[in-house]
């Protein structure tokens, strides 16, 4: 907090805001005078950050009024990507966009309009509400890579996803492909405290991370081999008698089938696949199964395995059930949706989308779990069990790479327009060259953004969006939590920025949806959502001032009273929901998408194993590269290489190197470290260079060091359950950049 400002001066108001630079959504106190934020600090009364803010959270004021922000609606006047813009009034922009969307709907059908989002940043229920009434099923996010498939697989097996961990009473925490030391600092802080009280921590990660350094056990597995490890843990827990016999007998279905099925997956079988020893596998399975109660934290790595992702989630989910670590004190909790407030799903108006339009959702024919076929089934079961369904926005999406492909090929039909909000697909979606081709080709594109990103630069309209200090926020885990953490706006939006909510509402108001948008401001909508809580606040702002949080009373062992939200009412180790959708009811083994055992020829040309991405400080995906206070901490992209491998390849620390897969090559700077095994290569994600020209062909150097040039969205590499694509466990080669080819990727 700035020391030079007297915060005791008259007329200063303290607003309860939050940081939205990562999912921790730390509480922020904003000191406001005359409509300006003078200073911010972490809110000591906020339950997660307890007053702390990280280096990213601390630059909120630089972000708020950065000279590179987009502050006015922009309309393209030159050729696409030429970088020529005209500043126009909001009303004109919205009239023109609405007219264009109406014309597309008339000529090609509503499904020809798609929307792209990123990770949860804004009021996405409003986007879904608009799209449902507009009539298109083609909403998507790259949340396929981020928790959503896990949520749906786990909900299929035990009726909800146990993402809320009762860590206080836990004795063992498994961090499976998660590194809170760099990705979720408040959580890491909490874990460190609990470790002093005896919590054991197992880290499953190919890298010796900030978190692995503090663990009781670190399993440096081959990237992409998580399914083999999970199956071997299931094998050990069943065949060495470590399971909770009472829970399994009383509350689970399919134990016999599972026991037979996993007999083959011994630690000895998994050892060469995972590069771990059978002893490491046994020891870790014992530690989790015998240190009860225990937790398995969600980590994003498994969502990004591609082909084996769904089965890996399934096998990991079984571990909780076999050990009885579900819904008991200290375990992973099945809270169900909020019973006390209006949920995101209830705001989405999903019933307004006609069945005939649902059937047109792109990807629903192949990837059934998080499209209408699977979502419809799971939502029905959830409504029966909990009275409410999970959010459709996120859990029921068009398959993103297939939408980009439809733009390029016209198959299964032509997508004509893309509305982009809170994402930069060029850098965050898979196989960036293909994504970029689609963005260059789509007939009509509108982007709602803070910055002129490579994606925004290719748009027809770029609309200026208000950030966390300029809008209220409800934090509730993609609309699926039972609790609410609420924040208020510190100030009204600066310049001509608006909320995403207002974008969707204003569009709806112009397209015959007036009756469906009674809430003029986002606060009005939030007030409607929180009114049933019964606090009696006159407005949303007053609710935040007086109460701010809502934590319902928790009931352990709910299943003893109401069963599980599955067709049989039990935990379905043998999943009838997956089977009904045409998927294996028990997790079947598949190797990493590209690997040396299944494809030795490929491994001759690409002998190293690549994993693309992990969160690193100070950046968040492809955000914040403009902010010099953050760029100062990390100026250039880095790729982790073991020193022995580097020596063989003639690479020295800090050399620029090419990393190449079958899809293309990028360059990053070698960071030599013993923290990865000799065959493992770890690239950083997100990188582009806002300091360069944002016009074609440079587009901020968005392919040059962008790790998603290397990833694969090929159908054969995608998870058949969910369609999530392959970022982790690919084959690559690495070589030094020499002067002659230093400039461009190929
Ligand atoms: N290879 C590889 N790829 C990955 C990952 C990986 O580990 N490896 N991780 C994946 C994961 S976990 C995720 S969640 C995705 C993230 O992917 P995205 O969410 O697409 O992340 P960004 O690329 O940072 O794009 C977010 C954009 O939204 C803008 N923005 C931020 N807040 C708002 C807002 O409130 N409204 C609007 N309109 N715009 C806003 C930011 O300025 C930024 O340009 O990337 C995935 N991609
Ligand atoms: N600094 C920072 N923090 C962030 C973000 C960010 O971009 N930057 N993004 C936010 C978002 S949207 C998300 S989803 C979370 C994600 O946060 P996490 O769940 O922690 O995910 P990552 O940091 O992507 O990767 C976690 C670990 O997986 C390891 N890993 C790589 N490949 C494999 C594999 O094949 N198997 C296993 N078991 N592990 C593997 C990586 O080495 C890494 O240490 O972070 C959030 N926080
Ligand atoms: S951890 Fe940092 S970036 Fe994330 S919400 Fe908290 S302060 Fe913001
Ligand atoms: Mo994410």
């Amino acid at each position: 907090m700035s020391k030079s400002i007297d915060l005791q001066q008259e007329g200063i108001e303290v607003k309860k805001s939050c940081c939205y630079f990562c999912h921790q959504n730390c509480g922020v106190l904003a000191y406001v005078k005359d409509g300006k934020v003078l200073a911010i600090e972490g809110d000591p009364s906020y339950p997660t950050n307890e007053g702390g803010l990280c280096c990213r959270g601390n630059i909120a004021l630089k972000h708020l009024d950065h000279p590179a922000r987009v502050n006015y609606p922009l309309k393209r006047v030159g050729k696409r990507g030429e970088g020529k813009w005209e500043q126009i009034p909001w009303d004109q922009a919205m009239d023109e966009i609405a007219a264009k969307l109406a014309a597309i709907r008339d000529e090609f059908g509503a499904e020809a309009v798609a929307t792209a989002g990123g990770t949860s940043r804004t009021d996405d229920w409003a986007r879904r509400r608009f799209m449902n009434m507009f009539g298109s099923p083609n909403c998507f996010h790259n949340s396929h890579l981020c928790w959503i498939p896990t949520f749906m697989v786990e909900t299929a097996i035990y009726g909800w996803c146990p993402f809320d961990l009762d860590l206080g009473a836990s004795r063992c925490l498994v961090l499976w492909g998660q590194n809170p030391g760099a990705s979720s600092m408040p959580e890491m802080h909490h874990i460190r405290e609990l470790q002093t009280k005896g919590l054991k921590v197992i880290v499953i990660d190919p890298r010796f991370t900030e978190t692995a350094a503090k663990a009781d056990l670190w399993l440096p597995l081959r990237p992409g081999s998580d399914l083999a490890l999970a199956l071997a843990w299931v094998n050990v827990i069943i065949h060495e008698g470590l399971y909770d016999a009472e829970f399994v007998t009383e509350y689970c279905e399919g134990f016999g089938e599972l026991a037979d099925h996993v007999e083959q997956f011994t630690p000895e079988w998994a050892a060469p696949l995972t590069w771990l020893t059978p002893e490491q596998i046994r020891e870790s399975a014992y530690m989790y199964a015998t240190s009860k109660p225990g937790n398995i934290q969600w980590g994003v790595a498994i969502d990004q395995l591609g082909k084996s992702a769904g089965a890996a989630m399934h096998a990991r989910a079984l571990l909780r059930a076999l050990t009885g670590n579900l819904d008991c004190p200290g375990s992973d909790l099945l809270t169900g949706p909020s019973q006390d407030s209006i949920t995101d799903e209830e705001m989405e108006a999903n019933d307004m989308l006609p069945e005939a339009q649902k059937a047109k959702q792109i990807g629903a024919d192949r990837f059934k779990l998080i499209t209408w076929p699977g979502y419809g089934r799971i939502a029905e079961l959830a409504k029966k069990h909990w009275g409410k369904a999970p959010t459709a926005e996120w859990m029921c999406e068009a398959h993103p790479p297939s939408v980009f492909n439809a733009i390029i090929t016209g198959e299964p039909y032509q997508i004509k327009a893309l509305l982009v909000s809170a994402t930069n697909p060029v850098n965050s979606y898979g196989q960036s060259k293909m994504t970029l081709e689609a963005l260059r080709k789509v007939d009509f594109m509108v982007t709602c953004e803070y910055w002129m990103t490579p994606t925004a630069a290719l748009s027809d309209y770029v609309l200026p969006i208000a950030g966390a200090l300029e809008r209220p926020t409800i934090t509730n885990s993609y609309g699926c939590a039972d609790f609410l953490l609420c924040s208020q706006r510190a100030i009204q939006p600066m310049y001509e920025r608006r909320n995403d909510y207002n974008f969707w509402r204003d569009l709806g108001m112009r397209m015959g949806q007036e009756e469906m948008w009674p809430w003029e401001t986002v606060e009005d909508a939030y007030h409607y959502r929180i009114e049933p809580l019964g606090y009696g606040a006159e407005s949303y702002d007053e609710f935040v001032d007086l109460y701010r949080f809502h934590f319902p009373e928790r009931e352990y062992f709910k299943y003893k009273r109401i069963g599980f939200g599955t067709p049989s009412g039990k935990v379905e180790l043998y999943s009838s929901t997956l089977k009904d959708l045409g998927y294996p009811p028990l997790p079947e083994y598949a190797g990493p998408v590209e690997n040396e055992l299944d494809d030795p020829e490929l491994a001759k040309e690409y002998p190293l194993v690549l994993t693309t991405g992990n969160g690193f400080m100070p950046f968040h995906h492809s955000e914040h590269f403009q902010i010099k206070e953050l760029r100062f901490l990390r100026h250039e992209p880095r790729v982790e290489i073991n020193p022995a491998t580097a020596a063989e390849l003639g690479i020295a620390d800090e050399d620029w190197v090419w990393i190449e897969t079958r899809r293309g090559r990028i360059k990053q700077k070698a960071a030599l470290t013993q923290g990865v095994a000799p065959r493992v290569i770890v690239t950083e994600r997100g990188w582009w260079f806002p300091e360069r020209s944002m016009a074609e062909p440079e587009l901020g150097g968005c392919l040059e060091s962008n790790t998603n040039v290397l990833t694969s969205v090929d159908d054969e590499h995608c998870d058949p359950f969910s369609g999530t694509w392959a970022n982790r466990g690919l084959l690559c080669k690495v070589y030094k950049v020499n002067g002659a080819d230093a400039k461009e990727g190929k």
Side-chain angles (χ1 to χ4, degrees):
M1 187 169 50
S2 171
K3 296 266 185 301
S4 55
I5 297 168
D6 172 13
L7 296 175
Q8 308 307 318
Q9 65 183 283
E10 223 172 280
I12 288 197
E13 246 191 304
V14 185
K15 299 299 250 179
K16 296 174 179 173
S17 178
C18 78
C19 174
Y20 224 114
F21 295 155
C22 85
H23 293 301
Q24 297 291 304
N25 293 158
C26 294
V28 165
L29 296 179
Y31 295 84
V32 176
K33 188 173 181 190
D34 302 329
K36 287 204 173 86
V37 186
L38 301 182
I40 57 154
E41 64 176 342
D43 181 349
S45 69
Y46 207 79
T48 52
N49 61 314
E50 297 171 341
L53 289 181
C54 77
C55 63
R56 199 164 56 231
N58 263 309
I59 55 78
L61 292 185
K62 306 277 178 192
H63 188 278
L64 180 65
D65 201 10
H66 191 283
R69 283 286 293 268
V70 176
N71 291 325
Y72 303 94
L74 299 177
K75 178 180 180 179
R76 169 171 76 80
V77 286
K79 283 198 289 218
R80 171 166 286 188
E82 206 184 2
K84 294 194 179 142
W85 303 96
E86 179 192 358
Q87 198 174 302
I88 58 169
W90 265 97
D91 276 349
Q92 181 190 340
M94 297 307 287
D95 288 344
E96 290 177 7
I97 294 167
K100 180 78 185 174
L101 297 182
I104 291 174
R105 180 169 59 183
D106 288 348
E107 197 175 343
F108 302 96
E111 65 277 10
V113 175
T115 72
T119 188
S120 174
R121 308 302 297 269
T122 175
D123 293 288
D124 282 288
W125 57 264
R127 168 202 324 241
R128 183 63 63 126
R129 192 174 176 89
F130 169 77
M131 289 293 275
N132 280 335
M133 287 182 283
F134 180 77
S136 173
N138 289 323
C139 304
F140 63 91
H141 297 79
N142 50 4
S143 49
H144 282 70
L145 298 175
C146 182
W147 188 56
I148 299 318
T150 295
F151 180 95
M152 291 300 270
V153 168
E154 297 185 350
T155 303
I157 293 166
Y158 18 70
W160 200 250
C161 170
F163 55 88
D164 216 345
L165 312 188
D166 196 20
L167 267 186
S170 171
R171 292 187 51 224
C172 179
L173 172 64
V174 182
L175 295 170
W176 200 314
Q178 202 219 14
N179 178 25
S183 67
S184 321
M185 272 89 62
E187 186 186 316
M188 183 69 186
H189 186 66
H190 187 44
I191 293 170
R192 295 293 294 146
E193 272 176 12
L194 293 171
Q195 280 183 291
T196 63
K197 297 179 187 145
L199 177 74
K200 290 185 187 134
V201 173
I202 303 173
V203 167
I204 301 172
D205 196 311
R207 290 189 312 132
F208 188 66
T209 59
E210 293 85 344
T211 313
K214 310 288 184 200
D216 296 86
L217 214 52
W218 170 47
L219 298 181
L221 80 178
R222 181 206 188 276
S225 68
D226 299 77
L227 172 56
L229 179 64
L231 287 170
W233 270 30
V234 175
N235 171 292
V236 171
I237 289 171
I238 293 182
H239 289 281
E240 303 192 14
L242 307 178
Y243 59 95
D244 181 333
E246 193 189 326
F247 183 81
V248 166
T249 315
E250 296 250 337
Y251 300 107
C252 300
E253 290 248 309
F255 180 71
E257 289 94 331
L258 177 65
D260 291 347
H261 174 68
V262 298
E263 211 174 331
Q264 55 190 313
F265 304 125
T266 59
E268 286 67 24
W269 163 83
L273 304 172
T274 56
W275 302 352
L276 300 169
T277 63
E279 293 71 34
Q280 281 174 302
I281 297 173
R282 269 203 184 84
E283 188 193 355
S284 51
Y286 266 80
M287 187 183 273
Y288 169 64
T290 59
S291 318
K292 283 175 67 173
N295 307 83
I296 302 179
Q297 171 64 294
W298 166 76
V300 91
I302 288 191
D303 299 78
Q304 303 188 2
L305 298 177
K307 191 173 67 178
S308 64
M313 291 161 200
H314 188 170
R316 181 181 55 179
L318 297 176
L319 296 166
R320 297 190 184 103
L322 289 169
T323 53
N325 274 315
L326 272 178
D327 226 23
C328 63
S331 75
D332 299 337
L333 304 181
L334 294 169
T335 62
S338 171
Q339 299 296 337
D340 306 334
S341 62
I342 308 281
T343 63
D344 287 42
E345 197 276 333
E346 292 169 296
M347 297 297 282
E348 289 174 339
N350 290 305
D351 292 342
M352 302 290 284
L353 185 67
E355 292 300 319
Q357 289 307 102
K358 290 180 185 170
K360 293 181 188 162
Q361 192 176 39
I362 289 185
D365 52 337
R366 286 159 298 145
F367 307 116
K368 294 199 164 56
L369 189 64
I370 54 178
T371 45
W372 274 105
Y375 173 78
R377 177 93 185 99
I378 285 176
E380 189 187 303
L381 287 165
K383 277 190 183 154
K384 210 165 121 201
H385 186 75
W386 302 106
K388 300 194 182 199
T391 330
E393 183 80 354
W394 311 112
M395 311 301 169
C396 178
E397 308 240 298
H399 184 236
S402 302
V403 176
F404 292 129
N405 190 52
I407 292 171
I408 297 167
T409 64
E411 296 295 334
Y413 52 80
Q414 192 68 53
I415 295 290
K416 303 293 285 185
L418 195 59
L419 306 177
V420 178
S421 154
T423 184
N424 174 21
V426 181
N427 290 79
S428 289
Y429 282 67
Q431 229 165 294
S432 306
K433 285 189 197 169
M434 189 273 270
T435 308
L436 182 57
E437 187 188 341
L439 299 183
R440 281 181 171 139
K441 206 169 166 208
V442 70
D443 271 14
F444 183 63
M445 183 155 78
V446 177
T447 296
C448 298
E449 252 299 345
Y450 299 155
W451 314 98
M452 187 57 72
T453 62
T455 302
L458 291 169
S459 302
D460 297 288
Y461 294 83
V462 181
L463 299 174
I465 295 298
L469 290 166
E470 303 165 292
R471 66 154 201 248
T473 303
I474 293 181
T475 303
N476 63 351
S477 297
Y478 293 83
C480 291
D482 62 341
F483 59 84
L484 299 176
L485 303 172
C486 297
S487 303
Q488 57 194 174
R489 61 174 110 204
I491 54 168
Q492 288 300 320
M494 295 172 70
Y495 306 99
E496 289 187 20
R497 300 172 194 163
R498 289 188 183 174
N499 283 298
D500 292 283
Y501 169 78
N502 294 100
F503 170 76
W504 299 111
R505 179 178 188 272
D506 289 1
L507 214 47
M509 298 294 280
R510 284 169 166 79
M511 304 198 75
Q513 303 178 5
E514 295 87 338
E515 283 188 8
M516 294 298 287
W517 296 97
W519 317 286
E520 197 177 332
T521 65
V522 71
E523 279 91 345
D524 294 341
Y526 285 1
H527 189 228
Y528 167 76
R529 299 187 60 181
I530 58 140
E531 260 188 314
L533 297 176
Y535 290 86
E538 292 282 309
S539 65
Y540 173 77
D541 221 44
E542 186 182 298
F543 172 78
V544 179
D545 268 336
L546 296 179
Y547 310 104
R548 191 167 199 193
F549 312 117
H550 175 71
F551 294 105
E553 195 139 319
R554 288 264 166 88
E555 176 190 353
Y556 294 113
F557 302 111
K558 279 184 295 302
Y559 56 83
K560 294 189 180 177
R561 189 169 54 81
I562 55 171
F564 291 89
T566 59
S568 62
K570 295 200 168 186
V571 171
E572 296 196 350
L573 302 173
Y574 181 98
S575 168
S576 68
T577 301
L578 293 178
K579 191 176 176 191
D580 289 350
L581 290 170
Y583 298 117
L586 293 168
E588 287 181 358
Y589 180 69
V593 285
E594 291 176 335
N595 72 79
E596 56 288 357
L597 298 174
D598 295 335
D599 198 346
E601 278 308 304
L602 184 67
K604 274 189 202 149
E605 193 183 347
Y606 298 101
L608 300 171
V609 181
L610 172 70
T611 188
T612 67
N614 47 268
F616 64 98
M617 291 302 290
F619 302 116
H620 192 256
H621 302 289
S622 78
E623 268 191 274
H624 303 298
F625 292 103
Q626 301 86 348
I627 296 180
K628 73 174 190 302
E629 289 77 4
L630 297 182
R631 197 67 181 277
F632 176 76
L633 299 173
R634 182 64 74 82
H635 199 67
E636 287 157 329
R638 297 194 329 181
V639 49
E640 292 187 4
I641 308 177
N642 184 283
T645 310
E648 262 176 46
L649 298 170
I651 293 168
D653 202 27
E654 304 238 330
D655 277 351
W656 282 100
V657 297
W658 292 112
I659 307 104
E660 184 173 328
T661 66
R662 284 197 280 183
R663 272 88 36 205
R665 69 176 186 176
I666 61 161
K667 63 179 196 184
Q668 300 199 347
K669 263 188 151 178
L672 305 195
T673 168
Q674 297 285 358
V676 295
R679 278 184 281 176
V680 173
I681 299 295
V682 183
T683 50
E684 282 181 352
R685 69 187 180 207
W687 278 93
W688 58 288
F689 305 94
E691 64 274 21
R692 301 211 196 146
S693 161
M694 287 313 298
E696 290 269 29
E698 180 92 39
L699 284 178
C702 66
L703 294 184
E704 193 171 302
S705 296
N706 172 0
T707 198
N708 278 315
V709 168
L710 308 175
T711 55
S712 172
V713 299
D714 293 349
D715 259 13
E716 54 160 358
H717 288 161
C718 288
D719 168 35
F721 295 53
S722 66
T724 178
W725 52 96
N727 288 349
R728 317 229 176 182
L730 301 153
L731 292 180
C732 75
K733 63 182 166 189
V734 172
Y735 48 99
K736 201 167 153 170
V737 171
N738 69 47
D741 66 0
K743 183 77 181 102
E744 292 295 333
K746 69 176 183 191

